[in-house]
Amino acid sequence: MELSDANLQTLTEYLKKTLDPDPSIRRPAEKFLESVEGNQNYPLLLLTLLEKSQDNVIKVCASVTFKNYIKRNWRIIEDEPNKICETDRIAIKGNIVHLMLSSPEQIQKQLSDAISIIGREDFPQKWPDLLTEMVNRFQSGDFHVINGVLRTAHSLFKRYRHEFKSNELWTEIKLVLDAFAQPLTNLFKATIELCSTHANDASALKVLFSSLIQIAKLFYSLNFQDLPEFFEDHMETWMTNFHSLLTLDNKLLQTDDEEEAGLLELLKSQICDNAALYAQKYDEEFQPYLPRFVTAIWNLLVTTGQEVKYDLLVSNAIQFLASVCERPHYKHLFEDQNTLTSICEKVIVPNMEFRAADEEAFEDNSEEYIRRDLEGSDIDTRRRAACDLVRGLCKFFEGPVTGIFSGYVNSMLQEYAKNPSVNWKHKDAAIYLVTSLASKAQTQKHGITQANEFVNLTEFFVNHIQPDLKSANVNEFPVLKADGIKYIMIFRNQVPKEQLLVSIPLLINHLQAESIVVHTYAAHALERLFTMRGTNNATLITAPEMAPFVEVLLTNLFKALTFPGSSENEYIMKAVMRSFSLLQEAIIPYIPSLIAQLTQKLLAVSKNPSKPHFNHYMFESICLSIRITCKANPAAVGSFEEALFMVFTEILQNDVQEFIPYVFQVMSLLLEIHKNDIPSSYMALFPHLLQPVLWERTGNIPPLVRLLQAYLEKGANTIASAAADKIPGLLGVFQKLIASKANDHQGFYLLNSIIEHMPPESVDQYRKQIFILLFQRLQNSKTTKFIKSFLVFINLYCVKYGALALQEIFDSIQPKMFGMVLEKIIIPEIQKVSGQVEKKICAVGITKILTECPPMMDTEYTKLGIWLMHTHINASVLFMFKVPSMLSTSLNAEALQYLQGYLQAASVTLL
């Protein structure tokens, strides 16, 4: 593509069409852009459009398209072609920083993200001047430019917060610190001074405080891995100013919005994070500054209101206290009983209250509420922070803290008992307080794994949780219902099994609750209970124990999927999947109804797949229903095909990319169940499976290989006779896969199936070329994974066609190659093969080489045979003698006698 006005105009038109709500206009435009993005100059056209277009909408669209293009294509993946030509890469890196800094903020953010993506791959080795160019911009004095640099630096350096330690990482951080730490410190001090100068200028303060927020974030990133020497030397400058900003209160920066945090709140939140980082990791160096920060943050907590806009600030401030109280160095700060009481009364209890904003989220934004409460993404909530503070205090003061909170819990429950309909929030806070107090260690898989010995969890469950769940009205007090169900989930390993069994019908009943949160929690709790393990690693809850509830469980689960807001509820679908897995044959009577509902749901969501987890569990449920039913009655496979194939056809015709791999997997399963030849409906599809376009998508490769393996296993003779012209296509797929380091094992899976199942005469003409391809790959790109797969293949070939055939094909490619393969590959590498089946194949193959290959006994190969025996008697031959069935089916008596002679010649005693 040339950088011409005509191409710019064309690109503008197609970008406009991608914004059209009509799918018939939008999708072709998206397809066109996807088809041309591999052309040279395409990214430069987008950047030119960004710079020159007068239409702001097009500029924003171009910036988003460019960022997504960089995200998809910038990384160079081994074995795959470079998707962006080198001249375009150089031009992009040469222009993007200037363009980003001269763009409006909305576009600046997109380009900043693009720089961050490029930086992750190229900085510092392939983009050494990036840092210098950014630092030089600090001298501009233009805070629009400076904030752009800071935002970009933050997106570039924030990965230091979660990267594993390595020499490469240390080298990069040192390079960044050497170039960036001093200019950042100078900018920090200059910005603080400007804040004082412009203390009465609201617009100036907003720009300056935006800079300070980014500077504080950069400080956190650059200090996360270790305490840099520079920041240790300049700690006085940073901590003194951070403390001043923490105690600052400028009315010009206060906002009337009760929901959205203002600049002042965001800055103070980040400073609390920074102080917590130092208190946790660098407590010795931070000790002189700690008391003043504790005082400032305590005052902040007791004077900050309950509005939502303060949530991040309050949670970070509490997290600071939590990090301090966990450290032995600071234990003395919390030893006084009055101090503990004050913290409980003024910080923890008020921040555990269920506020009007929480109630609104519970009712109107249930998906976000669940994400925060169930999935652990509530890291920035007041409740989560208060819970962490309780755990921190219990580390050294478990007894006193439990005693203090017990009084609060009893008081709250008494208030609730006086007037439940009015005071239900008191009980909610009491349950949360008990949960926080009792939880000492927790995992997502097992719930609470270590509990506070001073809290009687079973007694609280029986007296205060079960009564709410036993209420006939599942829609009454939905928050308390959700609390009770969550209590079961969290403490499922502490509550006795008999109480869990009592709870199961209660949970099934709550699947009918109108509240999305309640029926979602009920589904999730059931799913968690069904995964619990008892003795001998068997499920704690057994299928016979669930027998009385099978019908109502399945009915209520599928009914819950019909509630508004839960049509694609991943927790419910996961519970469906787990129920099928637990109940097994007990679901067979209900399969016709269940599979009809699942296919109907599949058809509906295939129109616009948006919930990947839901989709995954849905296909898992379909596969489970097929396996369970066809295990009992293999003939039922036809009924499943009849129910599913119409939907599958529509998915394939509409190219629903998210579902196509799943479709291939289910088809593999169905085909594997067939006992006789491949049905004609499958054979009609076979040629289409070999089309190159399907194999371009990485996600399609594993399921497609498995599907082709099923074809070969069930219908190799049919393919050899009726579709012989497709064998080159099959081998073409193998050739493509074997050339890729990422997918070569899949190529071997396919090749092994061809060797194992196809009639020998149908592949005779291709055998030598197959080996030549493998040796070319071995010569060009030898990896351990490839060697292991290659060894399994040649031994399988030996088992299938005989050792002499293996020796002849090697030596036909190059004289004496068989000896080279033995010496350079088989003897030194065979012990690396893993997997029981793979080891068996290699054991039988090597034994056949030693016993059925005459050249091994009377030529120069004899010495190699003795080495092979010496080196691998334990790894291969002895392994096979431990598996008598392998010997009886693979070796005749003459071969065994021959092997014994070899063993004697090699002076090896077979035990």
Side-chain angles (χ1 to χ4, degrees), residues 137-180:
R137 302 285 182 162
F138 284 162
Q139 311 304 321
S140 67
D142 182 348
F143 271 86
H144 174 75
V145 171
I146 290 169
N147 282 349
V149 171
L150 292 171
R151 194 179 295 114
T152 304
H154 169 58
S155 63
L156 202 58
F157 303 152
K158 67 182 177 183
R159 67 185 178 86
Y160 299 158
R161 303 178 183 191
H162 51 77
E163 289 271 328
F164 287 113
K165 290 179 169 65
S166 67
N167 289 333
E168 187 181 349
L169 179 65
W170 291 125
T171 303
E172 182 180 326
I173 292 176
K174 185 179 184 308
L175 185 147
V176 169
L177 289 167
D178 289 345
F180 206 76

Side-chain angles (χ1 to χ4, degrees), residues 17-117:
K17 289 178 181 178
T18 62
L19 303 174
D20 198 296
D22 184 352
S24 63
I25 296 173
R26 185 179 70 251
R27 284 177 184 162
E30 290 169 346
K31 290 282 186 185
F32 171 81
L33 292 176
E34 190 179 325
S35 69
V36 300
E37 72 174 21
N39 295 341
Q40 187 173 350
N41 292 327
Y42 172 76
L44 304 184
L45 280 167
L46 286 171
L47 291 179
T48 305
L49 203 58
L50 263 172
E51 192 173 15
K52 294 184 176 180
S53 176
Q54 302 301 312
D55 187 337
N56 202 46
V57 173
I58 292 298
K59 291 177 79 165
V60 172
C61 185
S63 68
V64 173
T65 304
F66 176 81
K67 180 192 74 174
N68 292 335
Y69 166 83
I70 294 295
K71 196 174 184 179
R72 282 194 304 273
N73 301 306
W74 193 270
R75 174 174 288 180
I76 298 173
I77 301 172
E78 196 173 14
D79 298 330
E80 292 187 14
N82 189 341
K83 296 176 182 176
I84 304 176
C85 72
E86 197 56 36
T87 53
D88 282 357
R89 289 177 181 270
I90 293 168
I92 288 168
K93 287 189 285 191
N95 293 295
I96 191 169
V97 174
H98 169 73
L99 186 57
M100 182 270 293
L101 295 175
S102 59
S103 297
E105 188 173 345
Q106 193 175 9
I107 294 168
Q108 195 178 77
K109 287 179 180 178
Q110 301 298 329
L111 294 180
S112 176
D113 288 344
I115 292 171
S116 174
I117 295 164

